[in-house]
Amino acid sequence: MNQIDITSFLLLLLAALGIFSNNMPITLAMIVLLLLRVLHMHYMFPWLEKYGLTIGIIVLTIGVMTPVASGKISIQTLWSSFLHWKSLLAIGVGILVAWLGGRGASLMSSQPTVVAGLLIGTVLGVAFFRGVPVGPLIAAGILSLLIGKM
């Protein structure tokens, strides 16, 4: 097998893992990437590498903020969250996770050799532990703390 075949096989395997674990995001992501390869749209990969994370974060933020935009969560509810200890703790955890994500993005840029391991761990976490594929940045942030890099 040549390199292209092995890569396509890996994408198919990961798509199957997504199907096996009933995880539609992993399945669809792998199928889209496989289609880009099969349709010889390799020129899309650098663009996706550069902007895919940003686009994903934008879509994720839209999903998280929709209850506020739709009025399901009112401004009064948001303000009252500063008065409850669980909400204050949630704010603190949110700050910590955002900071870890920033460290993770820096680590992934400066040490691309760790990216493969982070991605494999994230896919396995999504497939077998019902996780969501936002893990690579946070995992890289935690890894940066463990190995002392930023």
Side-chain angles (χ1 to χ4, degrees):
M1 275 188 157
N2 63 29
Q3 184 64 30
I4 294 172
D5 292 334
I6 291 172
T7 301
S8 296
F9 179 74
L10 176 63
L11 292 172
L12 270 174
L13 185 66
L14 292 171
L17 189 60
I19 291 168
F20 172 74
S21 65
N22 294 317
N23 193 297
M24 192 58 64
I26 287 293
T27 304
L28 288 176
M30 296 308 115
I31 290 172
V32 166
L33 292 171
L34 186 59
L35 282 174
L36 290 174
R37 289 183 63 78
V38 169
L39 297 174
H40 303 290
M41 297 176 69
H42 295 87
Y43 62 89
M44 291 293 296
F45 292 133
W47 187 88
L48 286 171
E49 285 181 42
K50 186 173 182 181
Y51 299 111
L53 184 61
T54 300
I55 292 167
I57 290 171
I58 290 168
V59 171
L60 182 62
T61 303
I62 289 169
V64 169
M65 293 304 295
T66 297
V68 174
S70 70
K72 187 175 180 180
I73 297 177
S74 68
I75 298 299
Q76 293 82 7
T77 302
L78 288 174
W79 283 117
S80 68
S81 69
F82 288 98
L83 304 175
H84 193 275
W85 73 269
K86 288 181 182 177
S87 296
L88 289 171
L89 185 59
I91 290 168
V93 169
I95 291 168
L96 175 65
V97 167
W99 176 73
L100 283 171
R103 286 184 63 100
S106 296
L107 180 71
M108 290 172 79
S109 297
S110 67
Q111 295 192 25
T113 57
V114 302
V115 172
L118 293 167
L119 294 178
I120 291 168
T122 299
V123 169
L124 292 174
V126 169
F128 293 114
F129 300 106
R130 292 284 186 222
V132 291
V134 296
L137 286 177
I138 305 307
I142 293 169
L143 180 62
S144 76
L145 293 175
L146 295 174
I147 64 175
K149 301 282 184 181
M150 185 161 137

